[in-house]
Amino acid sequence: FSEGTVSGFGSVYVNGIRFATDRADIVVDGTPAAEDALRVGMVLNVAGDVASDGLSGSARRVEFDRPLYGPVDAYDATARRLVILGQPVQLDDATVFSGVTEDTLQEGLLCMVSGYPSPGELLATLLECRDDYAAGLTRVEVEGVVSGLDTGAGRFHLGALEVAVGAATIDTAQGALADGALVEVLGTQAQRGDVLQAERIRIKGASLKTGQAVLLEGVIGRFASLQDFELNRRRVSAGTAQREDRHALAPASGVRMRLAGSVRADGVIEATRYALQPPTDILLTGRVDEVDAARERLRLFGAERQALVVTQYEDRRATGERAFRLEDLQPGDYVQLRGFRDAQGQAVVTRIERRDEEPPEGGTIVVRLRIQIGTVDPAAARTRGPLDGFSLVDNRLVIAGVAVQTDNARTEFFDRNGASVTGVQFYNGLRAGDRLEAVGNEASDVIQATRVRYVR
């Protein structure tokens, strides 16, 4: 049993394993579906077999069950948090967006969220939105833990959402409707924020069997110790497990984790190995310099970037390939990378998107010459992440390891509140730990910035 985000296709990649799906039953929200209904960023459950190499397998069943689908009730852009059907949803730099961006997200949009349960919220791995919500008509769906069940009134709560049972069909095959039960509810609301009038309620139970091998990716929820914690609402013990990462992170509530183990007779997953992952906080956009698929590395802005077996791949060009992997990249391809730094300071890539090129925003145009492919037109280059250093004398910043040259005559500067400021004001306000974004044109691995701003 493998539970984790889809990281690519050409079969389906989950938890670093390429699962062949030619003989698999694929189910999306309870309905049989084809593989092309799956998206990068969806959290899947895969049942099947894994080869001895640990990198390939054959799926018997692939299932996606959306935990949240409904209108946005509130959105706090500063906190990167939204509320859908009373459920707080946290966005981060690893969230995959479809049909919307953080800048265009607003109340009233109809959104599907896939993600991991995190303490008090859902951490979104995929957010798909569109603008066709109709109050009282659109069927919405929410998953959560029952509280405040009043059988006489036929009501209960899922977090801040009140649910009216009414004449709903209740599937109790996996357990009874009771406080503490994990349920899935389908229904309608007369207006956004109103009581959810349930049409169908399904109690979700444990689907794992004693002795079953398990691969899990998610966010640690309740954490008492390594011998007693929850990952994706599943009880885990990892007291004797081997840790395989080299980060300074300590296991704790809210930390991302991947683990392998098996199910004990008491239903607890006994982990044999695990790895923690720091938050994604780096974004880079530009043309690829070199690709070394054998070592799972690529070079961008003059530095090597290391991919992982669980790195997500998506080709977002108009003519994009669905089965896109690192070996498909070529020098000169325009990409967006997301990732973090490991304990040694090396940039680790968790997501690679190949994209259609964006033109530069303005300012001085720098044409870059590449001997192997000839002269190319300039394209927008971007770095976003922690500030590593700066020099007002040299008008230079280093953001997420990338050198950024600014110029008071052609660079726009924006302060923490988004207000336009002078270069001197901007540099004088910089502090350790600031997160910045610089956009401009690349020349000799340096971004000639046309805009620099603070980011969340």
Side-chain angles (χ1 to χ4, degrees):
F1 175 85
S2 181
E3 182 174 74
T5 55
V6 177
S7 59
F9 296 100
S11 297
V12 173
Y13 287 82
V14 177
N15 284 326
I17 300 172
R18 179 181 179 177
F19 286 98
T21 58
D22 51 326
R23 298 183 180 180
D25 294 324
I26 299 176
V27 179
V28 175
D29 297 320
T31 302
E35 185 188 296
D36 60 8
L38 306 176
R39 300 284 183 269
V40 170
M42 284 182 168
V43 177
L44 298 187
N45 291 340
V46 181
D49 301 299
V50 177
S52 58
D53 62 6
L55 299 175
S56 60
S58 179
R60 293 194 298 271
R61 182 178 176 87
V62 177
E63 184 173 6
F64 171 71
D65 199 4
R66 62 189 181 193
L68 190 57
Y69 176 70
V72 176
D73 296 324
Y75 175 47
D76 184 338
T78 301
R80 308 179 79 180
R81 175 177 286 229
L82 59 153
V83 177
I84 297 176
L85 300 177
Q87 314 305 303
V89 177
Q90 185 66 51
L91 308 175
D92 68 7
D93 284 350
T95 304
V96 179
F97 293 87
S98 178
V100 70
T101 67
E102 285 193 72
D103 292 334
T104 60
L105 186 58
Q106 60 184 341
E107 293 183 13
L109 290 178
L110 179 63
C111 297
M112 186 281 290
V113 184
S114 183
Y116 296 118
S118 186
E121 62 192 17
L122 184 67
L123 180 62
T125 57
L126 173 65
L127 181 70
E128 290 186 344
C129 300
R130 58 182 195 261
D131 188 18
D132 60 353
Y133 174 72
L137 297 176
T138 301
R139 285 182 170 84
V140 298
E141 190 170 354
V142 58
E143 179 182 295
V145 177
V146 174
S147 64
L149 176 63
D150 185 338
T151 54
R155 304 251 171 154
F156 62 85
H157 283 84
L158 298 178
L161 176 69
E162 184 175 0
V163 178
V165 177
T169 301
I170 304 177
D171 182 352
T172 59
Q174 297 294 322
L177 181 61
D179 282 348
L182 178 64
V183 300
E184 175 187 87
V185 181
L186 177 73
T188 59
Q189 289 177 300
Q191 297 294 332
R192 282 195 297 118
D194 280 358
V195 174
L196 177 59
Q197 305 293 329
E199 298 177 4
R200 186 185 73 221
I201 301 172
R202 180 168 70 96
I203 289 79
K204 304 186 75 172
S207 58
L208 305 182
K209 301 176 182 178
T210 300
Q212 188 170 21
V214 173
L215 294 167
L216 284 185
E217 178 187 49
V219 175
I220 298 174
R222 180 188 61 81
F223 185 85
S225 68
L226 264 178
Q227 291 78 25
D228 179 19
F229 65 95
E230 292 184 356
L231 188 69
N232 298 354
R233 299 195 178 101
R234 302 181 190 277
R235 295 168 58 206
V236 179
S237 176
T240 60
Q242 178 181 353
R243 181 168 175 173
E244 297 186 332
D245 67 89
R246 298 180 295 172
H247 309 308
L249 278 175
S253 181
V255 174
R256 286 177 180 263
M257 173 185 272
R258 299 192 310 275
L259 64 81
S262 60
V263 183
R264 300 189 321 210
D266 61 0
V268 174
I269 297 170
E270 186 70 40
T272 55
R273 51 190 172 88
Y274 72 93
L276 304 180
Q277 181 173 307
T280 297
D281 64 352
I282 293 174
L283 182 149
L284 306 173
T285 304
R287 288 195 180 96
V288 174
D289 297 320
E290 298 175 11
V291 179
D292 187 345
R295 297 166 63 217
E296 295 188 294
R297 294 183 181 184
L298 70 159
R299 183 174 289 272
L300 186 71
F301 298 130
E304 281 194 335
R305 320 291 174 175
Q306 179 69 58
L308 303 168
V309 293
V310 293
T311 295
Q312 295 179 353
Y313 294 89
E314 189 169 10
D315 193 342
R316 288 203 163 191
R317 300 176 304 172
T319 57
E321 303 172 23
R322 182 170 172 83
F324 166 62
R325 305 296 292 174
L326 184 61
E327 55 267 26
D328 299 313
L329 273 180
Q330 299 293 325
D333 281 352
Y334 190 68
V335 297
Q336 183 178 95
L337 310 183
R338 296 173 187 261
F340 59 87
R341 285 195 184 119
D342 64 15
Q344 288 71 45
Q346 183 181 22
V348 177
V349 180
T350 57
R351 179 173 173 81
I352 299 175
E353 290 182 9
R354 183 161 60 181
R355 293 182 161 208
D356 290 318
E357 291 191 355
E358 303 172 29
E361 293 185 346
T364 302
I365 300 299
V366 179
V367 177
R368 185 175 185 185
L369 181 67
R370 292 176 185 268
I371 300 302
Q372 69 270 35
I373 60 175
T375 302
V376 294
D377 293 330
R382 176 182 286 104
T383 179
R384 179 197 300 170
L387 174 66
D388 298 322
F390 64 94
S391 170
L392 175 57
V393 174
D394 298 325
N395 287 318
R396 182 166 285 219
L397 306 160
V398 180
I399 303 172
V402 178
V404 177
Q405 187 68 48
T406 64
D407 184 321
N408 289 333
R410 64 184 180 86
T411 305
E412 293 183 289
F413 298 90
F414 298 90
D415 67 12
R416 301 172 196 278
N417 299 315
S420 179
V421 295
T422 67
V424 173
Q425 290 172 322
F426 183 86
Y427 274 90
N428 285 338
L430 292 174
R431 297 195 296 265
D434 285 342
R435 294 192 74 239
L436 304 176
E437 179 184 70
V439 180
N441 315 303
E442 180 194 357
S444 300
D445 301 321
V446 177
I447 293 179
Q448 309 293 323
T450 55
R451 174 168 52 88
V452 183
R453 67 185 180 103
Y454 288 85
V455 293
R456 298 183 288 274

